[in-house]
Amino acid sequence: APAECCGLIGGRDEQHARTIYRLRNVTANSERAYEAAPEDLFAAQRQMRERGEELLAIYHSHPRAVDPNPSETDVRLAYYPSATYLIVGLAGTEATVKAFSISEREQRWQQVEYEIAGE
């Protein structure tokens, strides 16, 4: 905060995340939007392939949200329908993480369940 963060989460099966890939937010208006640096995105995808991982989730923050939901821009730019989208709200006393299935094609989203498991 105050800028939005963004990144990818990779894993070997759809149930277990393994690696977090932090990406730089290079958009001009980083306090209200995110755009992953293309070179970071390509490097993360290459590392996932090398590690035998799949893209499980895409995360970003909403620094001014207490109870985050996908914005119209989030839905319009949700190009990975098989990925879970995690949005972190940072405006409350504690961060709030919510997970979503987003369909860019159908312009809709729904909240989904997730679990943070111990190591």
Side-chain angles (χ1 to χ4, degrees), residues 11 25 27-28 38 42 47-48 51 57-58 64 70 72 89 99 107 119:
N25 181 355
T27 190
F42 297 138
Q47 288 176 340
M48 273 190 238
R51 294 175 176 164
I58 298 168
R64 287 161 303 290
E72 288 181 25
Q107 292 293 293
E119 299 200 17

Side-chain angles (χ1 to χ4, degrees), residues 4-7 21-27 34-41 59:
E4 292 192 12
C5 70
C6 59
Y21 299 90
R22 294 181 181 140
L23 307 176
R24 287 176 296 135
N25 181 355
V26 296
T27 190
Y34 78 96
E35 177 184 343
E39 60 274 18
D40 292 358
L41 183 59
Y59 71 86

Side-chain angles (χ1 to χ4, degrees), residues 2-4 8 12 19 42 65 72 74 83 87 95-97 108 116:
E4 292 192 12
L8 307 177
R12 291 205 175 169
T19 310
F42 297 138
E72 288 181 25
D74 294 338
I87 303 177
T96 302
V97 180
R108 66 174 182 76
I116 298 176

Side-chain angles (χ1 to χ4, degrees), residues 72-95:
E72 288 181 25
T73 301
D74 294 338
V75 175
R76 189 176 75 251
L77 300 176
Y79 299 129
Y80 299 91
S82 63
T84 297
Y85 288 81
L86 299 170
I87 303 177
V88 183
L90 298 173
T93 55
E94 293 186 22

Side-chain angles (χ1 to χ4, degrees), residues 46-58:
R46 184 177 58 253
Q47 288 176 340
M48 273 190 238
R49 281 191 305 275
E50 290 169 356
R51 294 175 176 164
E53 295 178 345
E54 299 176 28
L55 174 62
L56 301 182
I58 298 168

